Amino acid sequence: MIGFAREVKRYVPNVVMTTVETTISHEDEERCRAICEKLGVRYRIRAWAG
């Protein structure tokens, strides 16, 4: 996914990577946020729709 985001960013101006709330820890969400920041893409935590 990281490689895909890095590559697609070259062609798509607004790349957003997401996780679903409550499925990973807050610590992991922060790790995801840091990865997205490093990649220069947006990170969003989606609401659980179950």
Side-chain angles (χ1 to χ4, degrees):
M1 293 303 297
I2 292 171
F4 177 77
R6 187 178 290 121
E7 181 67 18
V8 77
K9 184 179 169 235
R10 296 170 52 191
Y11 307 99
V12 178
N14 184 27
V15 177
V16 181
M17 296 182 77
T18 69
T19 56
V20 178
E21 69 181 356
T22 72
T23 62
I24 61 174
S25 69
H26 292 295
E27 293 82 9
D28 284 342
E29 288 174 347
E30 288 308 312
R31 287 186 198 105
C32 291
R33 187 179 313 281
I35 290 167
C36 288
E37 190 172 298
K38 184 177 178 179
L39 290 171
V41 302
R42 190 171 144 231
Y43 174 62
R44 182 170 72 90
I45 302 170
R46 294 182 286 130
W48 173 257

